[in-house]
């Protein structure tokens, strides 16, 4: 499987690192490269649709966003979401996504199978998530990742 990851931020860099470790032919950058099987968009949510529209039709196109609708990947008929359900830390050189759940949503069963295979190759555990329900695991992940620490700090201050 040849993979291009668009978005050299925290998520894109971590995914690229896992892909290289898994032996996948993978490039990381700001645009899609030619002759790839899968393009994975790992950019800030407001930029997803614009980036998707700039990708030539052909490869499977996915994104890592847990909150952007799958329809944002138009005009790509075979599209998916692979949402890692954990906080991704910057500047780490370990395989921090290993063992985390990855919410998988797709336009069709064949694309879902490929997205799930990719998640497994990257060391994640794919979990099917219906498009209508996708915001819920995203919100739960945000609460668990982003709101837990302030609660613990507050509890420590009270103690």
């Amino acid at each position: 499987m040849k993979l291009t990851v668009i978005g050299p931020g925290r998520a894109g860099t971590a995914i690229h690192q896992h892909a290289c470790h898994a032996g996948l032919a993978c490039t990381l950058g700001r645009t899609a490269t030619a002759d790839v099987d899968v393009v994975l968009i790992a950019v800030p949510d407001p930029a997803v649709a614009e980036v998707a529209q700039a990708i030539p039709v052909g490869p499977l196109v996915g994104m890592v966003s847990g909150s952007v609708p799958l329809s944002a990947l138009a005009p790509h008929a075979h599209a998916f979401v692979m949402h890692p359900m954990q906080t991704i830390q910057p500047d780490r050189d370990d395989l921090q996504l290993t063992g985390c759940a990855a919410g998988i949503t797709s336009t069709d069963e064949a694309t879902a199978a490929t997205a799930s295979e990719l998640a497994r190759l990257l060391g994640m555990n794919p979990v099917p998530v219906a498009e209508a329900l996708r915001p819920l695991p995203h919100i739960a992940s945000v609460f668990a990742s982003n709101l837990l620490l302030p609660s613990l700090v507050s509890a420590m201050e009270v103690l």
Side-chain angles (χ1 to χ4, degrees):
M1 178 183 306
K2 292 181 185 176
L3 173 66
T4 291
V5 179
I6 298 176
R10 287 183 297 177
T13 299
I15 289 167
H16 179 257
Q17 182 181 31
H18 279 260
C20 291
H21 180 76
L24 297 176
C26 184
T27 58
L28 174 65
R30 298 189 186 278
T31 60
T33 57
D35 300 324
V36 296
D37 303 306
V38 178
V39 177
L40 188 60
I41 300 170
V43 300
D45 290 355
V48 169
E50 181 181 343
V51 170
Q53 289 173 4
I55 299 169
V57 174
L60 295 181
V61 175
M63 65 177 162
V64 298
S65 174
S67 61
V68 174
L70 188 58
S71 61
L73 297 178
H76 304 282
H78 303 289
F80 68 93
V81 176
M82 183 181 69
H83 175 231
M85 294 187 199
Q86 80 169 41
T87 299
I88 300 172
Q89 300 295 320
D91 304 320
R92 284 181 48 177
D93 56 6
D94 62 321
L95 299 174
Q96 63 180 303
L97 298 176
T98 300
C100 84
I104 304 294
T105 306
S106 67
T107 54
D108 58 87
E109 290 300 317
T111 302
T114 301
S116 294
E117 175 190 356
L118 177 59
R120 281 189 288 276
L121 288 170
L122 297 175
M124 295 184 280
N125 299 314
V127 177
V129 178
E131 175 67 2
L133 299 177
R134 244 176 12 91
L136 299 176
H138 174 68
I139 291 168
S141 296
V142 168
F143 274 46
S145 299
N146 302 349
L147 300 179
L148 184 60
L149 187 57
S151 296
L152 290 173
V153 170
S154 295
M156 291 174 62
E157 288 175 357
V158 169
L159 288 173

